[in-house]
């Protein structure tokens, strides 16, 4: 049996998104007056405003604020580039959302990945009219980042970039590494290997800090750097490299938590007790650090890093004549269950 035309029209009206004209008809006022009400402009009485808002609620109408902002040349949107599979970036994003909302901005995410480089990720954000950019753990060329900072307000998180036209927010990595080495030395460790982050952001600073901290403890002869990356695979590879040696170090300082977790898994599968035979310390204090192996790690304050990144970009959007700012936050060692005093004779293989 065919539906009456009137029923089909009613279903169609229910399915489509309500418009400002629908609100005007329901409230018994002009569309122009409804526009004034939603834009917060004078011209409507309190009773009329209440009637318009009631009609909008009944219809389920929501004003398209994005379109209104674009019509005024503003999007009030911050673009955030992150790297897929980096847990600490997820922690940073969780901090960025409320910080942006507090100052009246929306957040749009774009991810870089092995099959999608940072240039594509950033250009996607710009094509969606993001006013400012926050780049998490960028590995991009300094010249390109400087040019990007000239185009739009940009803050980078987790990397120093002196001289570039971008704001930066990062942890005092030298201090964080020193805290980790101090902790291990105080426990009695002398043979401390560092699995570094390779070409990853902050890896060079952490590598230098490790060497300096070992020298400060008169352990220069025990300096041992394994080239790695900020991934679980790098930790797994480092574990196999160490297991192939005649003697294990009594402690390993990994470039980040992901690397530390990959390393610990490899050692445990080989029957090496962590921390009984080998202590392991990570870096970041990402949410996975206390979910897997209850990792001792250097904590970066993701909440404050995200808040500072948002403030830096918004500050530059308000005044693009400001000089680039570098914000350095203090790290904190978090001691959990993967570090302990060395066991006598535990390093022989």
């Amino acid at each position: 049996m065919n539906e009456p035309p009137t029923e089909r029209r009613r279903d169609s009206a229910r399915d489509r998104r309500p418009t400002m004209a629908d609100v005007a008809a329901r409230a018994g006022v002009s569309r122009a007056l409804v526009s004034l009400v939603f834009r917060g402009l004078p011209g409507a009485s309190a009773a009329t405003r209440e009637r318009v808002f009631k009609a909008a609620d009944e219809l389920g109408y929501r004003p398209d604020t994005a379109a209104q902002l674009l019509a005024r040349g503003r999007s009030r949107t911050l673009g955030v580039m992150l790297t897929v599979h980096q847990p600490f970036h997820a922690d940073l994003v969780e901090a960025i959302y409320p910080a942006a909302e507090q100052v009246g901005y929306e957040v749009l995410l774009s991810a870089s990945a092995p099959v999608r480089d940072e240039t594509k990720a950033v250009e996607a954000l710009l094509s969606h009219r993001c006013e400012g950019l926050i780049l998490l753990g960028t590995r991009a060329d300094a010249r390109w980042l400087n040019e990007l900072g000239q185009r739009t307000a940009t803050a980078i998180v987790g990397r120093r970039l002196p001289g570039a036209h971008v704001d930066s927010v990062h942890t005092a990595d030298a201090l964080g590494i020193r805290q980790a080495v101090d902790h291990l030395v105080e426990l009695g460790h002398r043979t401390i290997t560092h699995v570094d982050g390779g070409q990853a952001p902050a890896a060079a600073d952490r590598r230098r800090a490790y060497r300096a901290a070992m020298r400060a403890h008169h352990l220069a002869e025990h300096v041992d750097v394994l080239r790695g990356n900020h991934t679980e695979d790098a930790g797994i590879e480092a574990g196999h490299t160490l297991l192939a040696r005649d003697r294990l170090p009594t402690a390993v300082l990994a470039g980040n938590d992901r690397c530390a977790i990959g390393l610990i898994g490899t050692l445990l599968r080989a029957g090496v007790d962590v921390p009984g035979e080998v202590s392991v310390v990570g870096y970041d204090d990402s949410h996975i650090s206390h979910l897997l192996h209850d990792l001792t790690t250097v904590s970066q304050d993701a909440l404050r890093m995200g808040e500072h990144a948002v403030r830096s970009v918004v500050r530059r959007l308000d005044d693009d004549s400001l000089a680039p700012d570098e914000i350095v936050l203090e790290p904190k060692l978090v001691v959990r269950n993967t570090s302990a005093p060395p066991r006598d004779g535990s390093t022989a293989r």
Side-chain angles (χ1 to χ4, degrees):
M1 184 176 177
N2 292 332
E3 276 186 302
T6 53
E7 289 300 318
R8 286 199 298 270
R9 282 197 296 272
R10 285 172 190 162
D11 288 342
S12 175
R14 281 196 299 267
D15 292 340
R16 70 179 178 82
R17 184 178 178 181
T19 66
M20 196 176 290
D22 296 328
V23 176
R26 174 68 68 94
V29 297
S30 69
R31 185 186 181 286
L33 193 57
V34 172
S35 177
L36 290 176
V37 169
F38 281 114
R39 288 159 60 195
L41 299 175
S45 66
T48 298
R49 288 179 184 278
E50 184 177 348
R51 198 159 72 250
V52 167
F53 288 132
K54 182 180 179 183
D57 285 341
E58 290 172 351
L59 292 169
Y61 172 78
R62 296 292 181 270
D64 190 346
T65 54
Q68 294 171 6
L69 287 167
L70 287 173
R72 300 176 209 161
R74 297 292 302 273
S75 71
R76 301 291 291 187
T77 301
L78 301 180
V80 178
M81 188 207 74
L82 68 156
T83 303
V84 172
H85 303 314
Q86 279 291 1
F88 189 63
H89 289 188
D91 296 344
L92 289 167
V93 168
E94 284 191 5
I96 287 169
Y97 269 111
E101 183 178 354
Q102 192 173 31
V103 291
Y105 279 80
E106 294 290 337
V107 173
L108 185 65
L109 303 179
S110 183
S112 66
V115 295
R116 187 175 192 246
D117 64 22
E118 290 190 17
T119 303
K120 289 182 180 179
V122 168
E123 290 300 331
L125 294 172
L126 294 174
S127 70
H128 283 82
R129 300 289 299 273
C130 292
E131 291 188 52
L133 299 173
I134 299 173
L135 311 184
L136 308 182
T138 175
R139 300 186 183 206
D141 177 76
R143 180 180 296 180
W144 181 78
L145 289 170
N146 182 61
E147 292 172 356
L148 181 64
Q150 301 283 353
R151 290 171 61 189
T152 188
T154 303
I156 60 174
V157 180
R159 176 179 171 185
R160 293 190 307 117
L161 202 62
H165 196 74
V166 296
D167 293 319
S168 64
V169 182
H170 64 91
T171 298
D173 287 306
L175 177 58
I177 292 294
R178 179 61 188 261
Q179 289 176 357
V181 173
D182 286 352
H183 167 66
L184 292 170
V185 172
E186 287 168 7
L187 288 173
H189 294 279
R190 296 295 179 267
T191 55
I192 303 168
T193 294
H194 176 45
V195 182
D196 75 5
Q199 299 300 314
D205 288 338
R206 294 176 191 177
R207 188 164 52 242
R208 283 192 293 269
Y210 159 77
R211 293 180 184 276
M214 292 290 282
R215 287 195 299 268
H217 285 289
H218 308 291
L219 297 173
E221 70 274 18
H222 294 298
V223 167
D224 180 28
V225 177
L226 291 185
R227 183 53 60 97
N229 204 339
H230 287 169
T231 65
E232 290 88 352
D233 285 345
I236 292 169
E237 185 177 344
H240 288 307
T241 298
L242 294 174
L243 288 167
R245 295 179 175 179
D246 294 333
R247 184 173 291 271
L248 287 170
T250 64
V252 179
L253 172 56
N256 76 341
D257 292 345
R258 290 180 65 194
C259 178
I261 286 167
L263 171 70
I264 291 171
T266 300
L267 294 177
L268 292 176
R269 284 190 293 273
V272 176
D273 181 24
V274 177
E277 293 179 73
V278 179
S279 289
V280 178
V281 178
Y283 202 107
D284 281 344
D285 195 26
S286 57
H287 62 272
I288 64 169
S289 66
H290 46 84
L291 296 177
L292 296 172
H293 309 303
D294 208 16
L295 183 68
T296 295
T297 184
V298 177
S299 176
Q300 301 194 81
D301 193 334
L303 177 61
R304 290 184 62 207
M305 292 176 86
E307 290 173 345
H308 278 295
V310 169
R311 289 174 192 163
S312 294
V313 172
V314 171
R315 183 183 70 102
R316 188 167 300 285
L317 287 171
D318 292 339
D319 185 357
D320 61 5
S321 67
L322 294 172
D325 194 15
E326 180 181 7
I327 299 164
V328 184
L329 302 179
E330 187 169 326
K332 180 182 179 182
L333 180 71
V334 180
V335 178
R336 297 195 180 102
N337 292 336
T338 60
S339 58
R343 188 184 299 166
D344 290 341
S346 64
T347 58
R349 299 295 297 165

